[in-house]
Amino acid sequence: METVFLQGNPMHIAGVLPIAGSIAPEFSLVGRDLSDIALHDYKGKRLVLNIFPSLDTDVCAASVRRFNHDISDFPDAAVLCVSKDLPFAAARFCVANDIKNVATASAFRSDFGQAYGIELVDGPLRGLFARALVVIDKDGRVLGTSLCKEISEEPDYDFVKQLLKENA
């Protein structure tokens, strides 16, 4: 069981992130317009999964805004921001923050957390997701993952940029 921290307090996640080179687990999520979102919808594009606890936190919100800005440098890539926030909350957030270049997806009725080994199993955020990044190539293979050991810190944006540059 992997350990992550929230302001220095340990929490654990169920499972492990997919390993580089493996086929990314298929998923079924819900978009902010209540549409179904699946991994196969992104076939032919590189996909960054920006996974986090909730848009209602400053760090999670900052990551969505940052990816919304940065992804324009990679026209053949997409960012999917995944949490258990309800689609309605994500829609409000995206309108209020002019989010147009990334998509949000809710795992509120999905096994995404178990499939990607990212669901917190204890601590005050139990049931939500730890902060992580998963970069997937055009054929659905995992290029790399990054797990934030401290949930209150932003993800490693440079890790994503480097992987996307190296695997253009």
Side-chain angles (χ1 to χ4, degrees), residues 7-161:
Q7 299 174 334
N9 297 305
M11 297 183 296
H12 300 94
I13 57 174
V16 294
L17 286 163
I19 60 169
S22 68
I23 298 293
E26 189 57 61
F27 54 75
S28 178
L29 301 168
V30 180
R32 60 185 174 228
D33 62 355
L34 299 178
S35 63
D36 291 330
I37 298 175
L39 176 61
H40 65 262
D41 296 335
Y42 291 92
K43 187 145 177 82
K45 279 189 107 61
R46 295 178 296 161
L47 178 63
V48 177
L49 298 176
N50 176 28
I51 306 163
F52 51 81
S54 175
L55 284 167
D56 285 328
T57 69
D58 292 339
V59 176
C60 299
S63 74
V64 174
R65 287 191 293 268
R66 174 79 179 264
F67 277 118
N68 186 61
H69 175 268
D70 289 356
I71 198 61
S72 61
D73 294 338
F74 303 96
D76 68 333
V79 175
L80 186 58
C81 300
V82 183
S83 70
K84 286 194 176 176
D85 289 315
L86 291 177
F88 316 110
R92 280 191 305 277
F93 173 86
C94 290
V95 169
N97 290 274
D98 198 30
I99 303 297
K100 296 181 177 161
N101 299 322
V102 302
T104 57
S106 175
F108 81 101
R109 59 179 177 212
S110 169
D111 67 350
F112 178 88
Q114 293 87 17
Y116 278 79
I118 203 69
E119 189 164 325
L120 294 162
V121 296
D122 57 16
L125 300 180
R126 181 181 64 247
L128 297 178
F129 300 147
R131 185 175 318 286
L133 300 168
V134 178
V135 182
I136 301 169
D137 73 10
K138 294 178 180 184
D139 298 316
R141 289 203 176 274
V142 176
L143 292 172
T145 63
S146 174
L147 176 66
C148 291
K149 286 304 217 173
E150 174 55 58
I151 291 177
S152 64
E153 294 176 2
E154 290 188 52
D156 187 351
Y157 304 108
D158 291 334
F159 164 80
V160 171
K161 288 180 180 182

